[in-house]
Amino acid sequence: MNLKSFIDTPPWEWPEDADRIFLEALRDDQADESERLLAVELAGDSTVINDELAGELLAIVSAGRNSESLRARAAISIGPALEYAYIDGFEDPDDVPISENKFHQIQETLCKLYKDTIIPKEVRRRILEAAVRAPQEWHQGAIWEAYASADESWRLTAVFCMRFVRGFNEQILEALEAGNQDIHYEAVCAAGNWEVDAAWSHIAALITSEHTDKYLLLAAIEAVAGIRPQDAAELLIDLTQSEDEDIAEAASEAMAITEALLDLEDDDVDDESRP
């Protein structure tokens, strides 16, 4: 089966042996770079990734003979499996796409690779961006170092990582004022994830402005739901009727989140008031 045919097919409709097809493509050193890049991207999908695929992706990241773009893309593809395993905590191993042993092996290898400064910058950036999906102690220092860099690409990586690692609220607020649009976007996402209340006015203004780019507006819609669910509905209600389907859907989903959060708050209040 041609790898390109997978792009236009929903993952749940992929053949049962999709993991084997991707594995063979990953191991084919003679294949065109474009084919291997596509295989690396597909192999990270949650419907197929397993210990064998994760191990092959990790091997690609580790191998200096591979191109920087291939190694970087392989690191990115490992990230979601790490995050899923970290959130689940292996309470039910059958629900996690990778085993606990493989999870720890990936963490240890990514840490070792990141600390090897001989590895190309782009690869190290993507390694850190993947690793923080399952936070560890060493990530705090790595993020601080990246954020302090004069290199904007490292600062971008740092703010992306702030989505997943606590303790950077001041830096997130600072990044909201960044002239770099990509850093600004990541700061909006991070502020929403950690419910940074001081970011409310900035992000609310993005929603009410007619000049906010769509990709940034979508991030802002998601962010306000978590920051102030009690105030978000007023901002979002009109957007649920947007002619743009993506915006209308995002606003509707955010409204549902705000309602769920407010219901939880009411339940907590009720529990506290009971004798």
Side-chain angles (χ1 to χ4, degrees):
M1 188 173 182
N2 191 304
L3 288 181
K4 291 181 179 178
S5 64
F6 285 92
I7 299 175
D8 299 321
T9 305
W12 56 88
E13 293 182 8
W14 287 351
E16 291 185 4
D17 63 343
D19 57 338
R20 179 190 59 78
I21 295 171
F22 300 156
L23 191 63
E24 290 177 357
L26 293 177
R27 289 174 172 170
D28 186 359
D29 291 338
Q30 304 306 310
D32 290 340
E33 178 81 355
S34 60
E35 283 288 301
R36 297 194 75 200
L37 279 168
L38 180 54
V40 160
E41 181 178 350
L42 294 168
D45 192 275
S46 61
T47 61
V48 294
I49 196 164
N50 52 32
D51 277 9
E52 202 167 13
L53 280 173
E56 196 62 35
L57 289 170
L58 193 61
I60 289 172
V61 179
S62 304
R65 67 178 180 278
N66 291 319
S67 69
E68 290 183 27
S69 57
L70 187 66
R71 297 173 75 186
R73 180 62 249 191
I76 292 170
S77 288
I78 291 173
L82 274 181
E83 183 177 359
Y84 195 102
Y86 175 78
I87 292 172
D88 184 88
F90 298 97
E91 292 185 6
D92 186 349
D94 291 337
D95 288 341
V96 184
I98 57 175
S99 68
E100 190 167 2
N101 285 339
K102 180 60 67 175
F103 172 74
H104 291 303
Q105 180 198 358
I106 293 171
Q107 285 189 308
E108 291 170 7
T109 303
L110 292 181
C111 178
K112 181 180 178 181
L113 290 171
Y114 179 77
K115 292 179 179 180
D116 183 357
T117 55
I118 296 176
I119 289 177
K121 179 183 77 173
E122 182 66 13
V123 180
R124 288 185 70 229
R125 285 181 58 219
R126 301 311 183 185
I127 287 171
L128 181 57
E129 291 172 8
V132 296
R133 308 287 282 266
Q136 294 181 283
E137 288 186 9
W138 67 271
H139 295 156
Q140 282 269 351
I143 294 170
W144 275 113
E145 183 180 7
Y147 189 69
S149 174
D151 185 328
E152 279 211 332
S153 62
W154 271 116
R155 288 176 63 82
L156 173 60
T157 283
V159 181
F160 170 86
C161 293
M162 290 172 191
R163 279 201 230 179
F164 303 94
V165 180
R166 292 181 181 274
F168 294 96
N169 284 10
E170 289 186 13
Q171 290 69 38
I172 291 169
L173 291 171
E174 184 178 74
L176 286 173
E177 306 299 332
N180 183 304
Q181 292 182 343
D182 293 332
I183 291 176
H184 185 196
Y185 169 84
E186 296 299 344
V188 169
C189 295
N193 190 57
W194 297 115
E195 301 174 7
V196 181
D197 190 73
W200 171 263
S201 60
H202 180 100
I203 298 176
L206 293 176
I207 291 179
T208 57
S209 172
E210 296 180 356
H211 305 293
T212 303
D213 290 333
K214 179 179 173 179
Y215 77 99
L216 188 58
L217 175 59
L218 292 174
I221 289 170
E222 183 176 351
V224 293
I227 296 173
R228 289 189 190 175
Q230 68 277 15
D231 296 327
E234 186 177 346
L235 289 175
L236 298 172
I237 187 65
D238 289 341
L239 292 179
T240 62
Q241 305 301 317
S242 172
E243 294 180 0
D244 186 306
E245 292 184 5
D246 295 331
I247 293 173
E249 182 178 356
S252 296
E253 290 177 358
M255 289 276 286
I257 290 171
T258 63
E259 291 172 5
L261 291 172
L262 291 173
D263 286 344
L264 284 174
E265 290 180 5
D266 290 341
D267 289 343
D268 290 341
V269 170
D270 290 342
D271 289 341
E272 291 175 1
S273 64
R274 292 191 184 101

